[in-house]
Amino acid sequence: LLGCSRFCCLCFSWIYSFLSNIYPYCLLVHPRLQLLQAAYSFFYCSNFWISACLCIFYCIKIANFRNSFFIYLKVKIDRIVPWLLLGSGILSLAIGIIAYNIIDKAVCKNLNFTCQGTFWKATIRAEEHFYPIHFLAGFGYAASFLAVIFSAVFLLFSLWRHKCKMQTNSMNSLSMDAHTRAMKSILSFFIMYSINFISLVLTLIYSTKYQNHVMFLVYLTEHAFPSVHSFILIFSNPKLEKALLKILSCVKCKFCMR
C-alpha cells in the first residue's frame, strides 16, 4: 500500500511537471488542473500517513514496555492496523477534496472564461492557490511527523535498553547485530522525515518569492525522499532485497537476449 501510494504520487507529479512545461495550455481546460492537484494532494498525504502507520506498527510490534496500555496495543495491533490505514485514507481524501475546492475557487476568481466556460485563458498567481495547499499539506504532514517522532523515540529507547541488557548478559553477537540494524533503520527514517519536513517548510517560505533555484532544490529533496525511503525499506528486509535482486537479474537477462 505504501509503495502504491508513492508510485501514484510520483506519477501525478511527473504528469503535472510534463504538462506545465511542454503543454501548459492543456492545464487550462476545466477541471484538469483541479483534478491533478487534488489527486497529488491525496497521494502525497496518504504517502506520509501510511509511513507514519508503518512506524507506529514497528514501535508497537518491536518495542517492549511494561505499561498495561502498551501491552494491550501490542496484543491488538493486528486489528488496529486496518483502522489506522482506513483513517489515513479518509483523511487524505478529505485533504484532496479541500485542495480541489481551493484551486477551483482561485481559478474562478482569477481567470477569464472563453469558449463557453470550458477553456480558461490566463495564468493563476502562484500564491493564490499553491500557498494554501502547501499550508494544508504541511499541517497534515506535521501531525504525521509527530507520530513518527514519538514512535522513533520510544522504539529507539526500547532497543537501546534491550541492547544494554544483552551486553550485560553476554548474549550472542547475531542478536546484537539484529538490534543494531533495527536502531540504525529507525534512526534513518527519523533523519529523512526531518529533512523532508524542513524542505516542506522552505516550500512554504519560498513558493511566493519566485526563487527558482531554491525551489528546485526543495522539490528535488521532496521527490527523492519516497524513493530513498523505499530503498531503505527494501534493503533492510532480506526477503524484499532477494526479490529485488531476482527481478533485476531477470531484467538483465532479457536485455542481454535482445
Side-chain angles (χ1 to χ4, degrees):
L1 189 60
L2 178 61
C4 290
S5 65
R6 286 179 170 173
F7 178 77
C8 293
C9 181
L10 291 175
C11 284
F12 279 105
S13 177
W14 290 337
I15 291 172
Y16 177 77
S17 299
F18 176 78
L19 292 178
S20 61
N21 289 292
I22 307 300
Y23 301 105
Y25 290 104
C26 183
L27 293 176
L28 299 178
V29 179
H30 185 273
R32 292 179 182 175
L33 178 62
Q34 292 91 323
L35 290 176
L36 276 176
Q37 286 294 334
Y40 177 75
S41 299
F42 170 77
F43 288 111
Y44 185 83
C45 182
S46 62
N47 170 25
F48 290 113
W49 271 109
I50 294 173
S51 300
C53 291
L54 183 62
C55 289
I56 294 172
F57 176 78
Y58 281 164
C59 177
I60 297 175
K61 200 76 173 178
I62 301 174
N64 189 14
F65 295 101
R66 295 182 179 179
N67 185 275
S68 58
F69 180 70
F70 189 84
I71 295 173
Y72 173 80
L73 291 178
K74 185 181 284 289
V75 173
K76 299 292 185 179
I77 185 61
D78 293 334
R79 297 181 181 179
I80 294 175
V81 167
W83 291 103
L84 288 176
L85 295 176
L86 179 61
S88 302
I90 294 174
L91 180 63
S92 302
L93 181 62
I95 290 180
I97 294 173
I98 295 173
Y100 181 94
N101 291 330
I102 289 174
I103 297 177
D104 194 54
K105 290 180 181 178
V107 167
C108 293
K109 182 179 179 181
N110 289 278
L111 298 185
N112 296 322
F113 294 94
T114 59
C115 299
Q116 295 181 354
T118 59
F119 186 81
W120 292 339
K121 184 180 179 181
T123 57
I124 314 170
R125 295 175 59 193
E127 62 268 20
E128 288 292 333
H129 63 287
F130 283 116
Y131 190 83
I133 292 174
H134 288 156
F135 181 80
L136 183 66
F139 177 78
Y141 181 74
S144 63
F145 183 61
L146 288 176
V148 171
I149 289 176
F150 284 112
S151 300
V153 169
F154 285 137
L155 184 55
L156 288 173
F157 176 74
S158 177
L159 290 174
W160 176 77
R161 186 178 62 179
H162 190 64
K163 182 175 178 289
C164 293
K165 288 182 180 180
M166 288 191 300
Q167 285 179 337
T168 56
N169 295 331
S170 301
M171 291 187 178
N172 55 14
S173 59
L174 291 177
S175 182
M176 289 282 294
D177 292 339
H179 283 77
T180 302
R181 286 197 302 268
M183 292 174 67
K184 290 180 179 179
S185 179
I186 296 299
L187 187 60
S188 66
F189 295 166
F190 175 72
I191 293 173
M192 291 183 62
Y193 266 90
S194 301
I195 294 173
N196 202 67
F197 183 75
I198 293 173
S199 67
L200 188 63
V201 173
L202 292 177
T203 302
L204 294 174
I205 295 174
Y206 291 103
S207 61
T208 59
K209 295 184 179 181
Y210 304 102
Q211 299 188 15
N212 294 328
H213 59 285
V214 177
M215 291 305 301
F216 174 77
L217 294 176
V218 171
Y219 286 138
L220 183 64
T221 304
E222 286 186 355
H223 289 84
F225 166 76
S227 302
V228 175
H229 192 198
S230 297
F231 276 114
I232 291 176
L233 290 175
I234 290 172
F235 288 109
S236 62
N237 190 312
K239 292 182 179 180
L240 292 178
E241 182 180 2
K242 186 178 180 180
L244 176 63
L245 295 176
K246 189 175 181 180
I247 292 172
L248 292 178
S249 63
C250 293
V251 174
K252 184 178 179 180
C253 292
K254 288 184 179 180
F255 275 106
C256 292
M257 291 175 65
R258 292 181 180 178

